[in-house]
Amino acid sequence: MMGFLNRRAARAAVVTAAGLAALGLSAVTASAKISYDFKVSPHTVAAGARVHVKGYAMNDSDLFQKFCVQQRQGTGSWHTVKCAHGAVFDGGSVNTWVQAKHRGTLQFRGALYETDWNSHKLRLQFVTPTETVRVR
């Protein structure tokens, strides 16, 4: 009878330890850090001129990530200009030129997309602050 109780106590200890380890892993995932750099130049251009946009982003989580550059004219909707290939642990970098075709305000931002654990569908994880270019 005593051997049965010892085995049962040992089994409960193992289950408890596994549960605590799982809680620790989820806490680590929740505290993942995002690193990014995003630059646009120049900030004032003539219509028809080109704007240099470059940036990267990564999250230290172990999910597939992809970094994209997006633009919008005025207050319109965001459109993707170009995306990096992406990888696990690294969203990649984009270095591109965009022609400013119309007068007004042109805005750019970087967007980091990730997959979730159960799907291959990319979801928006993070966006950089918006950089504005005045087109004369």
Side-chain angles (χ1 to χ4, degrees):
M1 179 74 172
M2 196 56 127
F4 173 74
L5 289 176
N6 284 342
R7 281 190 301 242
R8 208 170 163 165
R11 201 173 294 143
V14 168
V15 168
T16 302
L20 289 173
L23 284 175
L25 287 177
S26 67
V28 168
T29 302
S31 66
K33 294 179 185 158
I34 296 175
S35 302
Y36 73 92
D37 185 34
F38 188 71
K39 294 182 173 122
V40 175
S41 64
H43 288 282
T44 302
V45 296
R50 296 185 329 154
V51 178
H52 187 214
V53 183
K54 101 186 224 182
Y56 81 92
M58 59 148 317
N59 188 345
D60 64 358
S61 68
D62 59 348
L63 298 173
F64 178 81
Q65 305 163 27
K66 183 182 274 196
F67 177 73
C68 297
V69 168
Q70 297 177 337
Q71 79 172 34
R72 73 177 176 180
Q73 183 78 33
T75 58
S77 59
W78 289 100
H79 300 280
T80 300
V81 174
K82 187 174 182 179
C83 290
H85 290 291
V88 175
F89 293 110
D90 184 18
S93 63
V94 173
N95 187 359
T96 190
W97 291 87
V98 177
Q99 186 175 17
K101 296 179 182 178
H102 306 287
R103 292 177 182 232
T105 303
L106 190 56
Q107 295 180 318
F108 295 94
R109 72 179 184 183
L112 180 65
Y113 292 89
E114 291 184 347
T115 59
D116 51 12
W117 288 103
N118 301 321
S119 167
H120 295 294
K121 184 177 179 180
L122 290 170
R123 62 182 169 79
L124 183 62
Q125 176 67 23
F126 171 79
V127 293
T128 65
T130 302
E131 294 277 338
T132 303
V133 175
R134 194 175 124 235
V135 184
R136 331 177 241 124

